[in-house]
Amino acid sequence: MEKNVEILSREIVKPSSPTPDDKRILNLSLLDILSSPMYTGALLFYAADPQNLLGFSTEETSLKLKKSLSKTLPIFYPLAGRIIGSFVECNDEGAVFIEARVDHLLSEFLKCPVPESLELLIPVEAKSREAVTWPVLLIQANFFSCGGLVITICVSHKITDATSLAMFIRGWAESSRGLGITLIPSFTASEVFPKPLDELPSKPMDRKEEVEEMSCVTKRFVFDASKIKKLRAKASSNLVKNPTRVEAVTALFWRCVTKVSRLSSLTPRTSVLQILVNLRGKVDSLCENTIGNMLSLMILKNEEAAIERIQDVVDEIRRAKEIFSLNCKEMSKSSSRIFELLEEIGKVYGRGNEMDLWMSNSWCKLGLYDADFGWGKPVWVTGRGTSHFKNLMLLIDTKDGEGIEAWITLTEEHMSLFECDQELLESASLNPPVLI
């Protein structure tokens, strides 16, 4: 499909009103400073209205998106600025808006949405591993020949996590529908997690800085609502009688990759699961609408693959959550607790050659399927797709909100074993078509 994507235009969209002088400098929080210099992004797929045979008009739709983006940027003003070291210069430099034509049918594209094909719908700048200074925000509107539309939104990971991205998308969609933005963002993260006066912790929190880039494979596994129900029942125990969707899928992932490691290793290795956790709602001083990398890692260890049953894995996840909640209460009392957590994470990475490190990240319940810009809700939502870093799992809601899509990146050797695991395939389908 590579030759079928043509860039039509690229322009800068500036805020509709200037940023006040007292907001021109935004200090990054400690967690922002330690995050990877890369982009996080989401792709929103919209089918053409069946009553409109021509589908989306490139000119009218682009104008609507750009006007509403311009009105949204004064509320999310740092996204129109430039990142300089440990702060954002909120200079209204603007966001980049790209129009592209895709000579392909959206329905055909969604029959087999392989991760590599998604890369063609993402701005070239967002694929760079270089330090992200500007643009902070990149948009690409991809117009399919059938009238379908894919909006790709990429934001610098130095100032946003997935929750921040979802807040921006929600606000932009409301603005596009002519509504007021209902969830006003708060840019006070640096007050909760300020940059230390002395040197920074030696180990970055975001493991992407630490993980070796290598030849990896990313594949999409879908757990539909009926399979999720059975998996949750299978994973229930006396301690956790009603595991969540995410707990059940995460437990199955860890169990299956641990089995894969055991098959490909001469001796049992300690398996470490790292779960990215949203700190909003857990740290008292952190409000739900805070923009930034409000994330930490919850770490679980399976010494020499001793934890066998999926119920036992879910029990371990639930216990880890309880301990993490206590840590968050300590963070509420003293921000120094975050340094202790970072030190603990650093010790894990220091033993990376001795252990298998796996990571799970959930985008479930972020409301991305509610992104209605005025032509209805998306038929499919996904993240970036491919990854150059091994041992990652990204979980995203299915359209009905009951199932889960798992985008999993492993080494080629591990993936060849993982995708054949019968326990996995009892609950998941490998890259089924997206139904419109």
Side-chain angles (χ1 to χ4, degrees):
M1 193 182 105
E2 186 168 355
K3 296 180 180 178
N4 298 336
V5 179
E6 177 189 359
I7 301 300
L8 301 176
S9 66
R10 185 182 188 278
E11 62 181 281
I12 308 299
V13 175
K14 294 183 178 290
S16 58
S17 59
T19 299
D21 289 342
D22 62 339
K23 294 182 177 180
R24 286 276 165 165
I25 297 296
L26 176 70
N27 290 318
L28 295 177
S29 74
L30 170 64
L31 301 182
D32 291 325
I33 293 169
L34 296 177
S35 293
S36 295
M38 59 189 296
Y39 286 91
T40 185
L43 290 81
L44 312 177
F45 288 70
Y46 297 89
D49 184 344
Q51 297 183 4
N52 180 1
L53 297 180
L54 296 177
F56 291 98
S57 161
T58 302
E59 186 175 338
E60 290 180 11
T61 304
S62 286
L63 185 60
K64 181 182 180 72
L65 287 172
K66 286 183 284 190
K67 279 188 174 181
S68 58
L69 176 61
S70 180
K71 292 178 181 178
T72 305
L73 286 175
I75 305 296
F76 291 83
Y77 59 93
L79 303 190
R82 179 181 288 270
I83 297 174
I84 301 175
S86 60
F87 66 91
V88 183
E89 184 181 0
C90 305
N91 58 5
D92 299 332
E93 202 162 342
V96 171
F97 188 96
I98 301 163
E99 293 177 19
R101 180 188 294 124
V102 184
D103 188 14
H104 205 75
L105 299 177
L106 185 62
S107 58
E108 288 296 315
F109 183 91
L110 294 178
K111 282 182 180 178
C112 186
V114 295
E116 293 74 19
S117 64
L118 297 177
E119 290 296 307
L120 303 172
L121 307 177
I122 296 171
V124 173
E125 296 95 325
K127 302 171 190 177
S128 171
R129 284 286 299 154
E130 299 301 317
V132 178
T133 57
W134 186 88
V136 176
L137 174 63
L138 281 160
I139 310 289
Q140 184 163 316
N142 301 280
F143 294 89
F144 279 65
S145 57
C146 61
L149 169 66
V150 178
I151 304 174
T152 304
I153 304 105
C154 297
V155 190
S156 170
H157 197 2
K158 293 297 291 182
I159 191 175
T160 56
D161 56 9
T163 301
S164 305
L165 174 65
M167 276 191 271
F168 167 74
I169 292 172
R170 170 179 167 173
W172 183 20
E174 289 173 337
S175 179
S176 182
R177 299 200 310 276
L179 305 173
I181 295 175
T182 54
L183 186 62
I184 302 300
S186 169
F187 296 98
T188 56
S190 63
E191 297 175 15
V192 181
F193 298 113
K195 175 187 174 184
L197 297 177
D198 50 3
E199 62 182 276
L200 293 171
S202 59
K203 292 289 181 181
M205 190 205 72
D206 193 324
R207 74 168 290 202
K208 296 183 184 72
E209 286 292 311
E210 292 291 299
V211 180
E212 176 187 1
E213 269 190 62
M214 58 193 309
S215 178
C216 296
V217 179
T218 301
K219 295 200 175 183
R220 168 180 169 261
F221 296 85
V222 178
F223 299 77
D224 65 31
S226 62
K227 296 289 181 67
I228 285 281
K229 186 176 180 181
K230 291 178 182 177
L231 180 61
R232 291 176 66 191
K234 178 182 176 182
S236 65
S237 67
N238 289 331
L239 177 64
V240 185
K241 298 187 184 300
N242 191 28
T244 67
R245 292 178 302 149
V246 171
E247 285 175 336
V249 172
T250 302
L252 180 62
F253 165 73
W254 195 23
R255 174 168 160 72
C256 290
V257 292
T258 299
K259 286 190 290 182
V260 163
S261 175
R262 193 184 303 170
L263 289 171
S264 57
S265 178
L266 295 176
T267 57
R269 289 166 59 86
T270 295
S271 182
V272 176
L273 175 64
Q274 305 156 100
I275 301 176
L276 278 167
V277 184
N278 182 2
L279 294 174
R280 300 171 184 85
K282 297 179 178 65
V283 175
D284 291 343
S285 51
L286 205 58
C287 54
E288 294 283 358
N289 59 334
T290 303
I291 297 292
N293 286 280
M294 300 297 97
L295 302 170
S296 188
L297 285 174
M298 190 168 71
I299 296 178
L300 295 81
K301 290 183 183 179
N302 188 353
E303 301 286 348
E304 297 185 350
I307 305 171
E308 287 285 349
R309 303 184 310 154
I310 189 170
Q311 300 98 317
D312 298 331
V313 179
V314 169
D315 288 352
E316 288 297 312
I317 291 173
R318 188 61 66 90
R319 289 190 192 99
K321 282 184 175 180
E322 292 171 358
I323 294 170
F324 190 85
S325 294
L326 293 174
N327 286 331
C328 287
K329 288 182 180 179
E330 292 299 319
M331 260 186 262
S332 300
K333 298 174 184 176
S334 172
S335 61
S336 64
R337 179 62 182 132
I338 192 66
F339 287 95
E340 296 171 20
L341 285 175
L342 291 170
E343 188 175 339
E344 291 171 19
I345 294 167
K347 287 178 181 178
V348 170
Y349 286 118
R351 296 182 57 202
N353 292 331
E354 307 167 23
M355 303 181 294
D356 291 323
L357 304 180
W358 315 96
M359 178 175 280
S360 177
N361 183 13
S362 174
W363 284 19
C364 293
K365 293 188 176 180
L366 289 182
L368 293 172
Y369 275 98
D370 294 328
D372 180 359
F373 287 83
W375 44 74
K377 296 180 180 181
V379 296
W380 190 45
V381 175
T382 188
R384 286 279 303 272
T386 60
S387 173
H388 296 294
F389 304 99
K390 66 177 182 177
N391 301 351
L392 303 178
M393 178 174 71
L394 174 64
L395 302 180
I396 305 177
D397 289 316
T398 52
K399 187 181 178 183
D400 62 8
E402 300 295 326
I404 284 180
E405 292 197 4
W407 291 78
I408 296 173
T409 302
L410 303 173
T411 63
E412 292 179 356
E413 178 189 7
H414 282 170
M415 183 62 81
S416 66
L417 296 170
F418 180 83
E419 65 183 344
C420 297
D421 188 291
Q422 288 306 304
E423 185 179 6
L424 171 70
L425 297 177
E426 284 176 8
S427 300
S429 301
L430 176 57
N431 201 32
V434 175
L435 300 178
I436 299 180

